PDB file of all heavy atoms in Angstrom:
ATOM      1  N   ALA A   1       0.828  -1.198   0.000  1.00 61.00           N
ATOM      2  CA  ALA A   1       0.000   0.000   0.000  1.00 61.00           C
ATOM      3  C   ALA A   1       0.866   1.253   0.000  1.00 61.00           C
ATOM      4  O   ALA A   1       0.562   2.234  -0.682  1.00 61.00           O
ATOM      5  CB  ALA A   1      -0.927  -0.001   1.215  1.00 61.00           C
ATOM      6  N   GLY A   2       1.969   1.221   0.762  1.00 64.00           N
ATOM      7  CA  GLY A   2       2.867   2.369   0.803  1.00 64.00           C
ATOM      8  C   GLY A   2       3.505   2.642  -0.540  1.00 64.00           C
ATOM      9  O   GLY A   2       3.598   3.796  -0.971  1.00 64.00           O
ATOM     10  N   VAL A   3       3.937   1.592  -1.224  1.00 68.00           N
ATOM     11  CA  VAL A   3       4.541   1.754  -2.542  1.00 68.00           C
ATOM     12  C   VAL A   3       3.522   2.308  -3.530  1.00 68.00           C
ATOM     13  O   VAL A   3       3.826   3.179  -4.350  1.00 68.00           O
ATOM     14  CB  VAL A   3       5.109   0.405  -3.037  1.00 68.00           C
ATOM     15  CG1 VAL A   3       5.537   0.514  -4.499  1.00 68.00           C
ATOM     16  CG2 VAL A   3       6.285  -0.023  -2.173  1.00 68.00           C
ATOM     17  N   HIS A   4       2.296   1.817  -3.457  1.00 70.00           N
ATOM     18  CA  HIS A   4       1.244   2.322  -4.341  1.00 70.00           C
ATOM     19  C   HIS A   4       0.991   3.803  -4.105  1.00 70.00           C
ATOM     20  O   HIS A   4       0.906   4.597  -5.047  1.00 70.00           O
ATOM     21  CB  HIS A   4      -0.047   1.533  -4.131  1.00 70.00           C
ATOM     22  CG  HIS A   4      -1.219   2.111  -4.870  1.00 70.00           C
ATOM     23  ND1 HIS A   4      -1.379   1.974  -6.237  1.00 70.00           N
ATOM     24  CD2 HIS A   4      -2.281   2.856  -4.429  1.00 70.00           C
ATOM     25  CE1 HIS A   4      -2.489   2.603  -6.609  1.00 70.00           C
ATOM     26  NE2 HIS A   4      -3.053   3.141  -5.531  1.00 70.00           N
ATOM     27  N   GLU A   5       0.869   4.211  -2.830  1.00 79.00           N
ATOM     28  CA  GLU A   5       0.639   5.621  -2.511  1.00 79.00           C
ATOM     29  C   GLU A   5       1.823   6.477  -2.933  1.00 79.00           C
ATOM     30  O   GLU A   5       1.652   7.611  -3.386  1.00 79.00           O
ATOM     31  CB  GLU A   5       0.374   5.787  -1.013  1.00 79.00           C
ATOM     32  CG  GLU A   5      -0.944   5.208  -0.543  1.00 79.00           C
ATOM     33  CD  GLU A   5      -2.138   5.933  -1.151  1.00 79.00           C
ATOM     34  OE1 GLU A   5      -2.010   7.129  -1.475  1.00 79.00           O
ATOM     35  OE2 GLU A   5      -3.199   5.311  -1.303  1.00 79.00           O
ATOM     36  N   ALA A   6       3.021   5.956  -2.781  1.00 79.00           N
ATOM     37  CA  ALA A   6       4.209   6.709  -3.177  1.00 79.00           C
ATOM     38  C   ALA A   6       4.220   6.987  -4.666  1.00 79.00           C
ATOM     39  O   ALA A   6       4.638   8.057  -5.112  1.00 79.00           O
ATOM     40  CB  ALA A   6       5.469   5.935  -2.776  1.00 79.00           C
ATOM     41  N   SER A   7       3.733   6.030  -5.449  1.00 80.00           N
ATOM     42  CA  SER A   7       3.710   6.221  -6.905  1.00 80.00           C
ATOM     43  C   SER A   7       2.572   7.136  -7.332  1.00 80.00           C
ATOM     44  O   SER A   7       2.639   7.764  -8.396  1.00 80.00           O
ATOM     45  CB  SER A   7       3.583   4.867  -7.611  1.00 80.00           C
ATOM     46  OG  SER A   7       2.349   4.240  -7.286  1.00 80.00           O
ATOM     47  N   ALA A   8       1.530   7.248  -6.515  1.00 87.00           N
ATOM     48  CA  ALA A   8       0.375   8.077  -6.865  1.00 87.00           C
ATOM     49  C   ALA A   8       0.530   9.524  -6.429  1.00 87.00           C
ATOM     50  O   ALA A   8      -0.226  10.388  -6.877  1.00 87.00           O
ATOM     51  CB  ALA A   8      -0.891   7.489  -6.236  1.00 87.00           C
ATOM     52  N   ASN A   9       1.497   9.802  -5.558  1.00 93.00           N
ATOM     53  CA  ASN A   9       1.697  11.140  -5.014  1.00 93.00           C
ATOM     54  C   ASN A   9       3.083  11.662  -5.372  1.00 93.00           C
ATOM     55  O   ASN A   9       4.034  10.889  -5.492  1.00 93.00           O
ATOM     56  CB  ASN A   9       1.548  11.125  -3.492  1.00 93.00           C
ATOM     57  CG  ASN A   9       0.128  10.886  -3.043  1.00 93.00           C
ATOM     58  OD1 ASN A   9      -0.684  11.805  -2.995  1.00 93.00           O
ATOM     59  ND2 ASN A   9      -0.190   9.640  -2.698  1.00 93.00           N
ATOM     60  N   VAL A  10       3.199  12.972  -5.519  1.00 95.00           N
ATOM     61  CA  VAL A  10       4.511  13.570  -5.744  1.00 95.00           C
ATOM     62  C   VAL A  10       5.382  13.396  -4.512  1.00 95.00           C
ATOM     63  O   VAL A  10       6.545  12.998  -4.588  1.00 95.00           O
ATOM     64  CB  VAL A  10       4.378  15.068  -6.091  1.00 95.00           C
ATOM     65  CG1 VAL A  10       5.750  15.719  -6.191  1.00 95.00           C
ATOM     66  CG2 VAL A  10       3.605  15.258  -7.381  1.00 95.00           C
ATOM     67  N   LEU A  11       4.805  13.687  -3.352  1.00 96.00           N
ATOM     68  CA  LEU A  11       5.501  13.526  -2.078  1.00 96.00           C
ATOM     69  C   LEU A  11       4.630  12.686  -1.169  1.00 96.00           C
ATOM     70  O   LEU A  11       3.429  12.949  -1.036  1.00 96.00           O
ATOM     71  CB  LEU A  11       5.764  14.902  -1.452  1.00 96.00           C
ATOM     72  CG  LEU A  11       6.609  14.949  -0.177  1.00 96.00           C
ATOM     73  CD1 LEU A  11       8.010  14.416  -0.427  1.00 96.00           C
ATOM     74  CD2 LEU A  11       6.694  16.389   0.350  1.00 96.00           C
ATOM     75  N   TYR A  12       5.228  11.658  -0.571  1.00 95.00           N
ATOM     76  CA  TYR A  12       4.439  10.770   0.284  1.00 95.00           C
ATOM     77  C   TYR A  12       5.257  10.362   1.501  1.00 95.00           C
ATOM     78  O   TYR A  12       6.412   9.932   1.384  1.00 95.00           O
ATOM     79  CB  TYR A  12       4.014   9.512  -0.476  1.00 95.00           C
ATOM     80  CG  TYR A  12       3.120   8.611   0.344  1.00 95.00           C
ATOM     81  CD1 TYR A  12       1.847   9.017   0.716  1.00 95.00           C
ATOM     82  CD2 TYR A  12       3.561   7.364   0.766  1.00 95.00           C
ATOM     83  CE1 TYR A  12       1.028   8.209   1.489  1.00 95.00           C
ATOM     84  CE2 TYR A  12       2.749   6.537   1.528  1.00 95.00           C
ATOM     85  CZ  TYR A  12       1.479   6.968   1.890  1.00 95.00           C
ATOM     86  OH  TYR A  12       0.675   6.172   2.655  1.00 95.00           O
ATOM     87  N   ALA A  13       4.655  10.528   2.672  1.00 95.00           N
ATOM     88  CA  ALA A  13       5.244  10.075   3.933  1.00 95.00           C
ATOM     89  C   ALA A  13       4.487   8.843   4.387  1.00 95.00           C
ATOM     90  O   ALA A  13       3.268   8.892   4.585  1.00 95.00           O
ATOM     91  CB  ALA A  13       5.157  11.185   4.976  1.00 95.00           C
ATOM     92  N   ASP A  14       5.194   7.746   4.561  1.00 95.00           N
ATOM     93  CA  ASP A  14       4.578   6.453   4.833  1.00 95.00           C
ATOM     94  C   ASP A  14       4.840   6.037   6.278  1.00 95.00           C
ATOM     95  O   ASP A  14       5.952   5.667   6.644  1.00 95.00           O
ATOM     96  CB  ASP A  14       5.159   5.410   3.867  1.00 95.00           C
ATOM     97  CG  ASP A  14       4.477   4.063   3.974  1.00 95.00           C
ATOM     98  OD1 ASP A  14       3.314   4.007   4.439  1.00 95.00           O
ATOM     99  OD2 ASP A  14       5.107   3.054   3.595  1.00 95.00           O
ATOM    100  N   HIS A  15       3.793   6.155   7.123  1.00 95.00           N
ATOM    101  CA  HIS A  15       3.840   5.700   8.517  1.00 95.00           C
ATOM    102  C   HIS A  15       5.046   6.286   9.264  1.00 95.00           C
ATOM    103  O   HIS A  15       5.895   5.557   9.796  1.00 95.00           O
ATOM    104  CB  HIS A  15       3.852   4.178   8.582  1.00 95.00           C
ATOM    105  CG  HIS A  15       2.584   3.549   8.065  1.00 95.00           C
ATOM    106  ND1 HIS A  15       1.408   3.549   8.782  1.00 95.00           N
ATOM    107  CD2 HIS A  15       2.308   2.937   6.882  1.00 95.00           C
ATOM    108  CE1 HIS A  15       0.460   2.945   8.072  1.00 95.00           C
ATOM    109  NE2 HIS A  15       0.967   2.569   6.919  1.00 95.00           N
ATOM    110  N   ILE A  16       5.097   7.616   9.303  1.00 96.00           N
ATOM    111  CA  ILE A  16       6.216   8.310   9.939  1.00 96.00           C
ATOM    112  C   ILE A  16       6.002   8.417  11.450  1.00 96.00           C
ATOM    113  O   ILE A  16       4.959   8.859  11.922  1.00 96.00           O
ATOM    114  CB  ILE A  16       6.379   9.728   9.352  1.00 96.00           C
ATOM    115  CG1 ILE A  16       6.726   9.651   7.860  1.00 96.00           C
ATOM    116  CG2 ILE A  16       7.430  10.516  10.123  1.00 96.00           C
ATOM    117  CD1 ILE A  16       8.065   9.013   7.567  1.00 96.00           C
ATOM    118  N   THR A  17       7.009   7.984  12.197  1.00 96.00           N
ATOM    119  CA  THR A  17       7.062   8.185  13.644  1.00 96.00           C
ATOM    120  C   THR A  17       8.376   8.882  13.970  1.00 96.00           C
ATOM    121  O   THR A  17       9.423   8.530  13.423  1.00 96.00           O
ATOM    122  CB  THR A  17       6.971   6.853  14.403  1.00 96.00           C
ATOM    123  OG1 THR A  17       5.672   6.278  14.182  1.00 96.00           O
ATOM    124  CG2 THR A  17       7.177   7.044  15.899  1.00 96.00           C
ATOM    125  N   ILE A  18       8.294   9.887  14.865  1.00 95.00           N
ATOM    126  CA  ILE A  18       9.478  10.653  15.245  1.00 95.00           C
ATOM    127  C   ILE A  18       9.556  10.695  16.762  1.00 95.00           C
ATOM    128  O   ILE A  18       8.619  11.140  17.434  1.00 95.00           O
ATOM    129  CB  ILE A  18       9.423  12.082  14.687  1.00 95.00           C
ATOM    130  CG1 ILE A  18       9.179  12.052  13.171  1.00 95.00           C
ATOM    131  CG2 ILE A  18      10.703  12.836  14.997  1.00 95.00           C
ATOM    132  CD1 ILE A  18       8.563  13.312  12.635  1.00 95.00           C
ATOM    133  N   ARG A  19      10.674  10.220  17.293  1.00 94.00           N
ATOM    134  CA  ARG A  19      10.884  10.216  18.737  1.00 94.00           C
ATOM    135  C   ARG A  19      12.092  11.065  19.091  1.00 94.00           C
ATOM    136  O   ARG A  19      13.104  11.039  18.396  1.00 94.00           O
ATOM    137  CB  ARG A  19      11.121   8.790  19.251  1.00 94.00           C
ATOM    138  CG  ARG A  19       9.979   7.824  19.009  1.00 94.00           C
ATOM    139  CD  ARG A  19      10.255   6.489  19.689  1.00 94.00           C
ATOM    140  NE  ARG A  19       9.241   5.500  19.372  1.00 94.00           N
ATOM    141  CZ  ARG A  19       9.313   4.665  18.334  1.00 94.00           C
ATOM    142  NH1 ARG A  19      10.385   4.705  17.531  1.00 94.00           N
ATOM    143  NH2 ARG A  19       8.363   3.794  18.094  1.00 94.00           N
ATOM    144  N   PHE A  20      11.964  11.815  20.166  1.00 92.00           N
ATOM    145  CA  PHE A  20      13.088  12.531  20.752  1.00 92.00           C
ATOM    146  C   PHE A  20      13.240  12.005  22.175  1.00 92.00           C
ATOM    147  O   PHE A  20      12.517  12.421  23.085  1.00 92.00           O
ATOM    148  CB  PHE A  20      12.829  14.039  20.761  1.00 92.00           C
ATOM    149  CG  PHE A  20      12.669  14.634  19.392  1.00 92.00           C
ATOM    150  CD1 PHE A  20      11.420  15.037  18.947  1.00 92.00           C
ATOM    151  CD2 PHE A  20      13.757  14.775  18.552  1.00 92.00           C
ATOM    152  CE1 PHE A  20      11.257  15.587  17.688  1.00 92.00           C
ATOM    153  CE2 PHE A  20      13.612  15.319  17.289  1.00 92.00           C
ATOM    154  CZ  PHE A  20      12.364  15.729  16.851  1.00 92.00           C
ATOM    155  N   GLY A  21      14.177  11.057  22.349  1.00 89.00           N
ATOM    156  CA  GLY A  21      14.275  10.387  23.643  1.00 89.00           C
ATOM    157  C   GLY A  21      12.996   9.616  23.905  1.00 89.00           C
ATOM    158  O   GLY A  21      12.557   8.799  23.098  1.00 89.00           O
ATOM    159  N   GLY A  22      12.345   9.892  25.027  1.00 87.00           N
ATOM    160  CA  GLY A  22      11.094   9.212  25.341  1.00 87.00           C
ATOM    161  C   GLY A  22       9.863   9.902  24.812  1.00 87.00           C
ATOM    162  O   GLY A  22       8.743   9.406  24.981  1.00 87.00           O
ATOM    163  N   LEU A  23      10.036  11.057  24.137  1.00 92.00           N
ATOM    164  CA  LEU A  23       8.904  11.818  23.622  1.00 92.00           C
ATOM    165  C   LEU A  23       8.588  11.411  22.194  1.00 92.00           C
ATOM    166  O   LEU A  23       9.463  11.422  21.325  1.00 92.00           O
ATOM    167  CB  LEU A  23       9.208  13.315  23.672  1.00 92.00           C
ATOM    168  CG  LEU A  23       8.190  14.239  22.993  1.00 92.00           C
ATOM    169  CD1 LEU A  23       6.871  14.212  23.756  1.00 92.00           C
ATOM    170  CD2 LEU A  23       8.735  15.658  22.897  1.00 92.00           C
ATOM    171  N   VAL A  24       7.339  11.045  21.943  1.00 94.00           N
ATOM    172  CA  VAL A  24       6.888  10.754  20.579  1.00 94.00           C
ATOM    173  C   VAL A  24       6.231  12.016  20.038  1.00 94.00           C
ATOM    174  O   VAL A  24       5.128  12.390  20.432  1.00 94.00           O
ATOM    175  CB  VAL A  24       5.890   9.577  20.550  1.00 94.00           C
ATOM    176  CG1 VAL A  24       5.431   9.315  19.126  1.00 94.00           C
ATOM    177  CG2 VAL A  24       6.542   8.323  21.135  1.00 94.00           C
ATOM    178  N   ALA A  25       6.935  12.704  19.126  1.00 94.00           N
ATOM    179  CA  ALA A  25       6.428  13.970  18.583  1.00 94.00           C
ATOM    180  C   ALA A  25       5.437  13.745  17.456  1.00 94.00           C
ATOM    181  O   ALA A  25       4.487  14.524  17.280  1.00 94.00           O
ATOM    182  CB  ALA A  25       7.588  14.824  18.084  1.00 94.00           C
ATOM    183  N   VAL A  26       5.655  12.690  16.676  1.00 95.00           N
ATOM    184  CA  VAL A  26       4.757  12.322  15.577  1.00 95.00           C
ATOM    185  C   VAL A  26       4.587  10.820  15.620  1.00 95.00           C
ATOM    186  O   VAL A  26       5.573  10.084  15.728  1.00 95.00           O
ATOM    187  CB  VAL A  26       5.319  12.760  14.208  1.00 95.00           C
ATOM    188  CG1 VAL A  26       4.446  12.248  13.064  1.00 95.00           C
ATOM    189  CG2 VAL A  26       5.457  14.283  14.138  1.00 95.00           C
ATOM    190  N   SER A  27       3.339  10.355  15.533  1.00 94.00           N
ATOM    191  CA  SER A  27       3.076   8.936  15.710  1.00 94.00           C
ATOM    192  C   SER A  27       2.348   8.350  14.504  1.00 94.00           C
ATOM    193  O   SER A  27       1.173   8.647  14.267  1.00 94.00           O
ATOM    194  CB  SER A  27       2.241   8.709  16.975  1.00 94.00           C
ATOM    195  OG  SER A  27       1.959   7.333  17.156  1.00 94.00           O
ATOM    196  N   ASP A  28       3.061   7.552  13.718  1.00 95.00           N
ATOM    197  CA  ASP A  28       2.482   6.733  12.653  1.00 95.00           C
ATOM    198  C   ASP A  28       1.621   7.567  11.690  1.00 95.00           C
ATOM    199  O   ASP A  28       0.466   7.229  11.415  1.00 95.00           O
ATOM    200  CB  ASP A  28       1.644   5.605  13.259  1.00 95.00           C
ATOM    201  CG  ASP A  28       1.312   4.513  12.234  1.00 95.00           C
ATOM    202  OD1 ASP A  28       2.120   4.317  11.309  1.00 95.00           O
ATOM    203  OD2 ASP A  28       0.242   3.890  12.366  1.00 95.00           O
ATOM    204  N   VAL A  29       2.203   8.631  11.151  1.00 95.00           N
ATOM    205  CA  VAL A  29       1.477   9.519  10.248  1.00 95.00           C
ATOM    206  C   VAL A  29       1.814   9.194   8.802  1.00 95.00           C
ATOM    207  O   VAL A  29       2.987   9.132   8.421  1.00 95.00           O
ATOM    208  CB  VAL A  29       1.812  11.000  10.540  1.00 95.00           C
ATOM    209  CG1 VAL A  29       1.255  11.918   9.450  1.00 95.00           C
ATOM    210  CG2 VAL A  29       1.259  11.395  11.896  1.00 95.00           C
ATOM    211  N   SER A  30       0.780   8.982   7.994  1.00 94.00           N
ATOM    212  CA  SER A  30       0.932   8.846   6.542  1.00 94.00           C
ATOM    213  C   SER A  30       0.278  10.050   5.882  1.00 94.00           C
ATOM    214  O   SER A  30      -0.803  10.494   6.299  1.00 94.00           O
ATOM    215  CB  SER A  30       0.286   7.552   6.039  1.00 94.00           C
ATOM    216  OG  SER A  30       0.973   6.421   6.550  1.00 94.00           O
ATOM    217  N   PHE A  31       0.943  10.571   4.855  1.00 91.00           N
ATOM    218  CA  PHE A  31       0.519  11.857   4.301  1.00 91.00           C
ATOM    219  C   PHE A  31       1.000  11.938   2.860  1.00 91.00           C
ATOM    220  O   PHE A  31       2.170  11.682   2.562  1.00 91.00           O
ATOM    221  CB  PHE A  31       1.158  12.975   5.144  1.00 91.00           C
ATOM    222  CG  PHE A  31       0.837  14.374   4.707  1.00 91.00           C
ATOM    223  CD1 PHE A  31      -0.280  15.024   5.193  1.00 91.00           C
ATOM    224  CD2 PHE A  31       1.663  15.033   3.823  1.00 91.00           C
ATOM    225  CE1 PHE A  31      -0.563  16.324   4.796  1.00 91.00           C
ATOM    226  CE2 PHE A  31       1.399  16.334   3.431  1.00 91.00           C
ATOM    227  CZ  PHE A  31       0.275  16.975   3.922  1.00 91.00           C
ATOM    228  N   GLY A  32       0.089  12.283   1.948  1.00 94.00           N
ATOM    229  CA  GLY A  32       0.459  12.366   0.545  1.00 94.00           C
ATOM    230  C   GLY A  32       0.078  13.687  -0.092  1.00 94.00           C
ATOM    231  O   GLY A  32      -0.909  14.318   0.304  1.00 94.00           O
TER     232      GLY A  32
END
């Protein structure tokens, strides 16, 4: 599904999670 969305969008973020130490700033975000 991620590969399909990546090909359908110019820019695609697939299930992005960002942690700073114990802090989760972004949790499992997909965005096209």
Side-chain angles (χ1 to χ4, degrees):
V3 171
H4 172 75
E5 291 295 332
S7 63
N9 290 278
V10 174
L11 186 62
Y12 184 66
D14 186 23
H15 295 285
I16 297 295
T17 294
I18 307 156
R19 299 186 185 90
F20 298 107
L23 172 67
V24 179
V26 174
S27 179
D28 195 30
V29 170
S30 294
F31 180 89

